[in-house]
Amino acid sequence: MKALVITKPGGPEVLQIRDRPVPQPKPHEVLIKVAAAGINRPDVAQRKGAYPPPPDAPQDIPGLEVAGTIEAIGDAVTLWQTGDKVCALVSGGGYAEYCTAPEGQCLPVQPNLTLTEAASLPETFFTVWSNVFDRGRLQPGESLLVHGGSSGIGVTAIQMAKALGSVVYVTAGSDDKCRFCEQLGATKAVNYKTEYFIHTIAQLTGGKGVNVILDMIGGDYTQGNIQSLAEEGRLVLINTMKGKDVQVDLSMVMRKRLFITGSTLRPRDRPFKSAIATALKKTVWPLIEAGQIKPVIHQTFAAQDAAKAHALMESSTHIGKIVLEFS
Ligand SMILES: NC(=O)c1ccc[n+]([C@@H]2O[C@H](COP(=O)([O-])OP(=O)(O)OC[C@H]3O[C@@H](n4cnc5c(N)ncnc54)[C@H](OP(=O)(O)O)[C@@H]3O)[C@@H](O)[C@H]2O)c1
């Protein structure tokens, strides 16, 4: 098969097509003929050598999510048959014509989605469910602030939280990105280049603050996050793009009885990821099928143009997801 390989750590140009053997599914895995693979920011970090894959994942083929048709199944698979159309969360190896996936991490492709659209879902949907609803315990009627509202993660969090009954505020880096987030369901999007989110959130919540914050920024946002949380509020970190070393006023954590948490999805075990798939299928997949939550795809690229797709992601000019298509 053809696969996109990280030939050495470096810029987008190190992603090159190579011939590789088709992987064989283990007893509880399926083999997917990949139609499309979503691109995620962690793939960029892996390409640069800053995010090593877990030991059981392909070491030099990136890609955390795919959609396609099941070509073969392992001996112990009970959930799927050959010919089924699925999207899947994988721990690597998605940028290839064939990819194996644990059967519990596959979800059906709804009739109203293309395979390209389906490929854009798993990584951000699993991450948002796990962090906003499981760790962050966001409840209907509560409010959520999402930093990076126009990211793949952001457009998923806005739609999911809104559809499940929350008020959503976001920050983003341009007026266009802000308008897009508001059209998608955010009550207010703050352009962090011209406005300080702390003041706006205080104003919008009558000084009370928000119940949950999903943060991928870290750094000097952290003190602002603590200030912007309501009593019993939850701060959930999924990255620290502006730095991991911070100075904060911890007395506010005590006074407001806050919870600070975070997680990374990729190293978690299969039962953990399968449980998220089950929850998504029950609660979120019907909302996608009803058209209440939609894939947001900024641009698709042919697989051989993966370097251009990575360069686009690093430019941060995109809104939503970037997807590679395999013919
Ligand atoms: N913990 C986990 O399990 C997990 C899983 C998946 C993803 N993630 C993280 O979630 C984040 C979003 O992932 P994604 O795939 O959705 O990425 P993405 O679409 O590329 O979005 C990242 C956004 O972050 C903003 N940004 C980039 N560099 C920044 C910086 N230095 N300071 C502030 N903002 C910056 C940009 O928006 P603006 O132009 O608006 O600034 C950009 O659009 C990434 O940090 C990723 O590593 C974590």
Side-chain angles (χ1 to χ4, degrees):
M1 69 173 187
K2 303 283 180 210
L4 280 146
V5 166
I6 301 171
T7 49
K8 58 181 178 189
E13 71 287 349
V14 304
L15 280 173
Q16 306 226 342
I17 292 196
R18 295 282 187 268
D19 286 321
R20 284 294 165 88
V22 173
Q24 296 304 306
K26 295 195 178 83
H28 283 285
E29 293 178 347
V30 300
L31 175 69
I32 300 170
K33 183 173 191 324
V34 176
I39 294 185
N40 294 280
R41 198 53 84 138
D43 306 346
V44 172
Q46 182 179 341
R47 194 205 69 222
K48 291 177 173 170
Y51 189 46
D56 60 339
Q59 294 301 295
D60 58 358
I61 308 173
L64 301 173
E65 57 186 356
V66 296
T69 308
I70 295 185
E71 179 96 357
I73 56 173
D75 294 343
V77 167
T78 57
L79 300 174
W80 305 102
Q81 298 178 353
T82 56
D84 286 345
K85 300 219 178 302
V86 291
C87 59
L89 179 81
V90 293
S91 52
Y95 293 12
E97 288 178 324
Y98 292 89
C99 177
T100 53
E103 61 170 332
Q105 291 169 217
C106 297
L107 282 155
V109 176
Q110 297 98 328
N112 58 334
L113 295 193
T114 64
L115 287 173
T116 297
E117 288 173 325
S120 75
L121 304 178
E123 175 68 11
T124 64
F125 278 67
F126 278 69
T127 301
V128 169
W129 183 267
S130 172
N131 287 286
V132 173
F133 296 95
D134 282 344
R135 302 199 79 75
R137 305 188 312 278
L138 183 70
Q139 301 298 313
E142 287 193 328
S143 53
L144 170 71
L145 168 63
V146 183
H147 293 301
S150 66
S151 65
I153 291 280
V155 298
T156 302
I158 292 169
Q159 295 191 85
M160 229 193 258
K162 176 88 190 288
L164 294 172
S166 290
V167 174
V168 187
Y169 308 112
V170 305
T171 60
S174 74
D175 288 342
D176 283 350
K177 287 181 173 184
C178 286
R179 294 300 77 77
F180 186 92
C181 293
E182 287 173 354
Q183 279 159 15
L184 205 57
T187 297
K188 169 77 181 165
V190 177
N191 180 347
Y192 67 83
K193 292 188 176 149
T194 56
E195 215 177 315
Y196 204 26
F197 74 86
I198 302 177
H199 303 315
T200 315
I201 293 299
Q203 222 169 24
L204 291 166
T205 60
K208 201 168 137 265
V210 293
N211 302 107
V212 178
I213 299 179
L214 180 66
D215 186 28
M216 58 184 76
I217 310 297
D220 61 4
Y221 274 39
T222 312
Q223 178 60 33
N225 285 337
I226 288 173
Q227 263 171 262
S228 299
L229 278 171
E231 287 188 4
E232 307 279 350
R234 287 84 75 191
L235 169 60
V236 190
L237 288 157
I238 57 166
N239 200 355
T240 54
M241 286 194 288
K242 279 186 88 181
K244 62 180 176 50
D245 300 314
V246 298
Q247 195 167 7
V248 294
D249 175 0
L250 286 174
S251 70
M252 223 178 252
V253 175
M254 295 186 284
R255 282 186 274 127
K256 293 204 277 185
R257 302 178 303 283
L258 304 179
F259 297 84
I260 301 178
T261 181
S263 74
T264 55
L265 179 65
R266 195 178 190 183
R268 301 304 297 269
D269 63 19
R270 289 179 178 195
F272 178 85
K273 290 172 182 172
S274 297
I276 301 175
T278 303
L280 285 172
K281 191 172 169 196
K282 179 166 173 249
T283 308
V284 179
W285 252 228
L287 298 169
I288 299 176
E289 198 155 343
Q292 247 182 292
I293 295 179
K294 296 192 168 86
V296 178
I297 297 185
H298 181 85
Q299 197 171 339
T300 59
F301 289 85
Q304 62 267 27
D305 291 329
K308 287 185 193 156
H310 268 223
L312 172 61
M313 178 161 276
E314 285 182 271
S315 76
S316 285
T317 52
H318 63 290
I319 293 177
K321 297 281 304 192
I322 302 168
V323 181
L324 293 179
E325 292 181 316
F326 290 81
S327 52

